Structure formats: structure tokens, C-alpha cells
Amino acid sequence: MSETFPKATEVRMAANLLAITFDNGQTRYMRSHFMKDYLDAWSPSRGKGKRSNLLVDPAWAWEGADAKISEDGTLTLFDKDTYTPEELWKNSKERIDEVSGV
């Protein structure tokens, strides 16, 4: 039996931080994939293949994200960056200060 997760109903994005409202009424926060890769690029062990992200200013990447939420709760940004309902729920935090710091 597969585990079910709350579905995203609304998303707001600013400077690569997502504020996700779920169908259970909770609003949770998480970093976008780009921000995670950007921060990993600074790490000697996790940065392999991600160093090109250091050439891009992470604060502007949210413009034009064109967030789309499908019926199953999958979120798509920039027409190709996909987040599953499980990922949105498990990787998000209840408080923004838990994800905003580096």
C-alpha cells in the first residue's frame, strides 16, 4: 500500500524559496531545485557537475517560473523542473527560517 501525501494547491516563489499551500490547509516552505544545486556547488563533495550554477545570480531565477500544479499535486516550474507531491511534503519545512539560511 503506497503512502499518500497532501497535494499542493498553491505555490508562491521568491528568490528560489517556495511557499507551498497544501490541501490540508498547511503552508510549508522549501528551497527550489536550483537553489539546492547552487548551494551544493560550493561544496567540494556535493558540487561535482553543479559548479556552472555559480555563474548565475540565484536571486533572479524565480522570475518567469510559471508555476503549474497538476491534479495529482505535482508542481512544475519553468515548464521542466518537476516536484512530486512526496518531495514537496517531505522536503518542505513548517517554518521559513528553517530553509532560508545557508
Side-chain angles (χ1 to χ4, degrees), residues 15 25 33 64 97:
H33 289 155
D97 63 315

Side-chain angles (χ1 to χ4, degrees), residues 1-97:
M1 185 170 168
S2 65
E3 188 175 0
T4 58
F5 299 95
K7 294 177 185 174
T9 58
E10 181 183 2
V11 65
R12 295 169 309 283
M13 184 175 182
N16 289 294
L17 290 176
L18 305 175
I20 308 140
T21 302
F22 291 92
D23 60 2
N24 65 1
Q26 266 194 0
T27 298
R28 296 172 60 101
Y29 306 90
M30 71 180 274
R31 289 182 177 133
S32 68
H33 289 155
F34 175 80
M35 183 52 83
K36 181 184 177 317
D37 289 346
Y38 181 83
L39 294 173
D40 285 351
W42 291 97
S43 168
S45 60
R46 295 184 316 270
K48 292 180 182 175
K50 300 176 184 177
R51 302 258 194 274
S52 62
N53 287 328
L54 297 177
L55 300 173
V56 180
D57 180 7
W60 66 266
W62 63 274
E63 293 178 13
D66 191 25
K68 293 181 179 114
I69 302 171
S70 65
E71 285 187 34
D72 71 351
T74 299
L75 169 66
T76 304
L77 301 174
F78 303 105
D79 294 325
K80 60 184 174 186
D81 188 16
T82 304
Y83 301 76
T84 65
E86 178 180 8
E87 177 184 14
L88 290 172
W89 184 254
K90 286 187 171 181
N91 293 348
S92 61
K93 306 290 182 190
E94 290 184 23
R95 297 184 358 218
I96 196 167
D97 63 315

